[in-house]
Amino acid sequence: FFAVMEGQVAVRIKAKTKIAYGEELLVCGSVPQLGSWKLSDAALMQCQGEVWSLATRLPSGVRVELKLVQRPQGGQVLWHGAGQGGNANLVLETSIGRAGAQGSRFVSIEGFPWRLEVEDLDPEEAAGLQPENNAPEPGGANTAGAAPGPGGPGSPGTALATPGS
């Protein structure tokens, strides 16, 4: 029941946090869809209240390392990760995308300051996502597939993670 496209799985990453008005939250990580650790190509999250989310396609059946990046207007960016002082990478294990397989989940988030979750998207939700093999917008965050949608903690395929769990 997962949306899979040529070795990719569609997921939604959510973080619940309050940051200042006008600031942005991005996901920067080890795969091209998250900028390959290049901040200028990181994926921009969308905000609804205190919940920031990113819907995107990621390689299926792999461990993706990432951090969330808080970008104030005209200020120094803040990298948020796991571990003591938030210096370690968050680790997301993506689903292999087959019925009955374990869903995508965070396996390393200890010490992360906010509530963080990931959910696999069903084919209908994933249909609106653009394939992630096109290059990100030059000089800006890749916002492809960042459209908000339904789903949440009780949805199928949702993996909840809270700091210290």
Side-chain angles (χ1 to χ4, degrees), residues 33-149:
Q33 296 88 338
L34 304 179
S36 299
W37 293 117
K38 187 175 171 188
L39 184 57
S40 61
D41 292 335
L44 180 65
M45 298 184 87
Q46 301 298 308
C47 181
Q48 289 188 323
E50 294 179 8
V51 178
W52 289 80
S53 67
L54 169 70
T56 189
R57 295 183 190 278
L58 295 174
S60 59
V62 300
R63 284 187 168 205
V64 176
E65 294 189 22
L66 59 99
K67 286 187 178 177
L68 270 59
V69 182
Q70 188 176 344
R71 184 167 54 193
Q73 291 182 327
Q76 182 76 22
V77 298
L78 301 169
W79 292 76
H80 297 281
Q84 188 77 19
N87 294 323
N89 296 334
L90 302 165
V91 179
L92 170 62
E93 218 170 60
T94 61
S95 170
I96 60 171
R98 287 194 213 118
Q102 177 154 342
S104 299
R105 64 192 178 111
F106 281 102
V107 294
S108 176
I109 66 159
E110 191 169 325
F112 188 73
W114 308 320
R115 180 184 171 129
L116 191 63
E117 64 184 65
V118 62
E119 62 184 335
D120 293 310
L121 301 181
D122 64 39
E124 282 183 19
E125 289 178 292
L129 296 179
Q130 296 177 4
E132 289 293 343
N133 48 6
N134 15 346
E137 299 169 19
N142 181 2
T143 57

